[in-house]
Amino acid sequence: MMTSALAGRPIFRMNGIGNEILVLDLRGAGLEVAPAEARAIARAPGLRFDQLMVLHEPRRAGAAAFMRIYNTDGSLSSACGNGTRCVAYVLGRAGEGDALTLETDAGPVRTWRAGETRFSVDMGAPRLGWREIPLAEAAPDTRNVTLSPEVQGAPATFSAVNMGNPHAVFFVADPLSLDLATLGPQIEHHRLFPERANISFAEVVAADEILLRVWERGTGETRACGSAACATLVAAARAGLTAREARIRLPGGDLMIAWGADDHVLMTGDVELEFETTLDARFFAEQDA
């Protein structure tokens, strides 16, 4: 029987407009989360997550924590806007302040309270070059990249954006009609994406409103994805389909996204604390390798 030093640690179950988030604070514990442990937590009763936000000691002065972000399959993500807002709530609730800087593999992220359970996150500037996204081959214009070889049922072209993670945004007439369970994994693992990609299907409803469905790499379809909402607004604005600020409507709720004159993308939305519990040793008894 395998055991884990994570057993007995407190963990918060939250959601960011439906994005299922767990927050695990390991600051001062000297512990890391192995991919197999992340997968074991995802299988535990009531703890299935879209992203697991694990807090470690900050690496630079002025930051509250360094965040390591796990997907359901145990793979790592460099950014999660909805998860970052949930972390801000947990730390604010503990008295660590209403304005915080959190570190990620994609760089520092600023977040601040915009209401009782509403938080804003500065997601930084989008990266738009094909090498930065990254794509497997040169694309002269990342606003309009041909999906080659084609995927049956998917549009022929997409817009590529990196918002800490690689994103492919497809503009369609009706995202709700698509078979995302079939299209999502095919495009996530398409040869054009050497690091896989988050796949978004977006309908521009108005110059300030977008309807969005998202397939997240390493997780699957989610009710919300903050970095995808940011990538979609950037893609739509670059294509001249919307203004640089819009409401992004996701199955779990709405996010307000603004692409500022300083090139940074700001995301604002609500969070909810569902419950706090502790990790049971039994969760890890049969974890895979």
Side-chain angles (χ1 to χ4, degrees), residues 128-165:
L128 304 171
W130 70 269
R131 291 183 179 89
E132 299 174 306
I133 287 164
L135 299 176
E137 59 187 43
D141 185 353
T142 54
R143 290 175 296 183
N144 190 40
V145 183
T146 298
L147 187 67
S148 178
E150 65 181 17
V151 173
Q152 186 174 2
T157 62
F158 64 91
S159 179
V161 180
N162 187 302
M163 284 300 318
N165 301 316

Side-chain angles (χ1 to χ4, degrees), residues 11-14 20-22 46-48 272-275:
I11 193 165
F12 294 87
R13 165 68 183 218
M14 302 191 65
E20 298 176 337
I21 302 295
L22 298 182
L47 292 183
R48 191 270 177 199
E272 178 185 9
L273 173 62
E274 296 181 3
F275 59 83

Side-chain angles (χ1 to χ4, degrees), residues 155-241:
T157 62
F158 64 91
S159 179
V161 180
N162 187 302
M163 284 300 318
N165 301 316
H167 290 268
V169 181
F170 295 83
F171 291 103
V172 298
D174 182 9
L176 300 179
S177 69
L178 296 174
D179 182 2
L180 200 54
T182 298
L183 293 176
Q186 291 186 71
I187 306 175
E188 174 192 351
H189 294 276
H190 194 280
R191 70 168 189 86
L192 280 178
F193 307 115
E195 297 180 6
R196 299 185 290 165
N198 294 273
I199 312 304
S200 294
F201 293 97
E203 176 187 357
V204 176
V205 179
D208 59 355
E209 185 178 353
I210 301 173
L211 180 65
L212 183 64
R213 288 179 72 193
V214 183
W215 178 275
E216 290 195 57
R217 64 173 182 174
T219 295
E221 183 173 7
T222 56
R223 290 179 55 77
C225 177
S227 62
C230 294
T232 298
L233 185 278
V234 169
R238 292 182 78 208
L241 300 175

Side-chain angles (χ1 to χ4, degrees), residues 27 55-58 60-66 91 96 100-103:
R27 290 176 299 174
L55 307 186
H56 297 281
E57 293 295 325
R60 67 182 70 185
F66 174 81
L91 297 185
E96 298 193 33
L100 302 169
T101 297
L102 299 163
E103 297 173 291

Side-chain angles (χ1 to χ4, degrees), residues 110 112 121-126 163 234 244 258-267:
R110 293 188 305 112
W112 57 94
V121 178
D122 182 344
M123 296 289 286
M163 284 300 318
V234 169
R244 290 172 66 102
W259 187 11
D262 62 355
D263 203 32
H264 283 219
V265 182
L266 304 183
M267 174 185 61

Side-chain angles (χ1 to χ4, degrees), residues 88-99:
Y89 176 89
V90 169
L91 297 185
R93 183 171 178 259
E96 298 193 33
D98 290 337

